[in-house]
Amino acid sequence: MLLAVTPAFYSFSTFQTRGHSKSTCQSSINEVTSKLYKFSNFKTLATSKTNNDMRRCECFDLYKEHVPYLEALSWQKSIVKEKKSLIDRGEDCFDTLIILQHPSVYTLGTASSEKFLKFEREYAPYNVYKTERGGEVTYHGPGQLVIYPILNLQHHKMDLHWYLRSLEEVVIRVLSNTFFIKASRLEGFTGVWVGNEKLAAIGIRVSRWITYHGLALNVTTDLTPFQYIVPCGIRDRQVGSIEGLLGVSESPKSGMEGKLTTSASQLMDITHDSLLKEFSEVFQLTLCHAPISDLPLEGRNMKLVY
């Protein structure tokens, strides 16, 4: 099992309780801020190392868009169908990655239980869809980066445990290498955790070794909608975000001098760039821009209401 281990990022209050002076703490905060601005200028879709042996992966990059859940699902299902057809004809097919945000929505896995909903169906705060992925109920919304890898595991490793651990590894590297946050896996659960807080949820579906669905990482997400469900069916844990862990704010306020000053949009940009870089390296894929016009149109009117 791969696990990136680096020093954790500590907030201003943590430094104070450990006996560090305010100037020492501010120096550390400045270092992290400098790192954030450095990554804000990082604009690439592929690993910096060009390797002709790496498989190509088309990337539909809509990370600034709020794409309705059913539309994104229809894209995935159409792409999976196309890849199966190519395989049946004995042809190779590129891997695909879609990255985006969703408007507020709740989704449930194949075997999800209603007991994890804290509301009646007719009074649901947002649309609720039951879908084909594994796992229990979760929330998707603005400020959360969602990636949908559509990979042919026959060209990677035909092992679902390996695939799940690899998706977790992508997020662990993002948090460690970009934000100095020490994240980990939690035995018996799928996802990525920082202490008692779950930052990334993972739910997948695999058909004839072609993957779809994927992972969702809370960056600047409003966590309030999670209060109306039992996220992933786990009652004794919390949900967190990168923004919350870093203590990012738009501008310093009274009593918040120790927080990093940056914008939510910049934090999303930084996380987006890092996610694509680490995904490319973990799965050894060269990511290539694909025009949004190439996304399939069929299935946009599909009904999947729970």
Side-chain angles (χ1 to χ4, degrees), residues 155-168:
H155 294 292
H156 295 273
K157 190 171 183 177
M158 297 164 69
D159 183 331
L160 298 188
H161 292 288
W162 170 86
Y163 179 58
L164 289 169
R165 301 296 81 78
S166 296
L167 289 176
E168 292 167 346

Side-chain angles (χ1 to χ4, degrees), residues 218-234:
N218 296 325
V219 184
T220 63
T221 321
D222 177 6
L223 303 179
T224 305
F226 285 102
Q227 297 176 6
Y228 305 115
I229 60 174
V230 179
C232 303
I234 305 173

Side-chain angles (χ1 to χ4, degrees), residues 93-284:
C93 55
F94 297 125
D95 289 327
T96 301
L97 180 70
I98 303 173
I99 182 168
L100 45 71
Q101 298 177 58
H102 287 306
S104 293
V105 65
Y106 293 116
T107 67
L108 300 95
T110 304
S112 291
S113 172
E114 290 185 38
K115 67 182 181 181
F116 297 126
L117 301 177
K118 297 181 180 179
F119 51 79
E120 299 296 331
R121 295 187 197 178
E122 58 267 33
Y123 302 116
Y126 307 108
N127 287 335
V128 181
Y129 300 120
K130 192 157 189 176
T131 185
E132 304 160 312
R133 64 164 174 79
E136 290 290 346
V137 62
T138 194
Y139 165 79
H140 298 304
Q144 181 188 78
L145 286 176
V146 181
I147 65 171
Y148 293 125
I150 307 174
L151 312 181
N152 183 354
L153 292 184
Q154 295 181 76
H155 294 292
H156 295 273
K157 190 171 183 177
M158 297 164 69
D159 183 331
L160 298 188
H161 292 288
W162 170 86
Y163 179 58
L164 289 169
R165 301 296 81 78
S166 296
L167 289 176
E168 292 167 346
E169 178 68 13
V170 170
V171 177
I172 289 171
R173 291 189 184 191
V174 167
L175 296 174
S176 172
N177 296 339
T178 303
F179 300 110
F180 308 115
I181 295 173
K182 182 180 178 181
S184 63
R185 301 172 178 87
L186 191 63
E187 187 175 355
F189 297 96
T190 299
V192 176
W193 306 76
V194 178
N196 195 45
E197 297 184 354
K198 187 173 187 177
L199 267 67
I202 297 174
I204 66 168
R205 177 83 174 185
V206 178
S207 177
R208 291 173 54 187
W209 295 110
I210 298 176
T211 69
Y212 59 116
H213 294 282
L215 72 82
L217 173 61
N218 296 325
V219 184
T220 63
T221 321
D222 177 6
L223 303 179
T224 305
F226 285 102
Q227 297 176 6
Y228 305 115
I229 60 174
V230 179
C232 303
I234 305 173
R235 296 185 183 276
D236 59 345
R237 304 279 175 169
Q238 300 175 355
V239 176
S241 69
I242 295 177
E243 181 181 49
L245 287 174
L246 291 179
V248 172
S249 62
E250 295 285 346
S251 58
K253 299 178 183 178
S254 177
M256 299 175 67
E257 293 81 1
K259 292 184 177 292
L260 297 176
T261 304
T262 188
S263 68
S265 61
Q266 184 185 33
L267 189 56
M268 289 291 285
D269 292 343
I270 295 165
T271 308
H272 157 269
D273 294 341
S274 184
L275 261 176
L276 293 185
K277 176 180 178 293
E278 302 299 348
F279 179 86
S280 171
E281 293 185 352
V282 168
F283 287 97
Q284 287 295 286

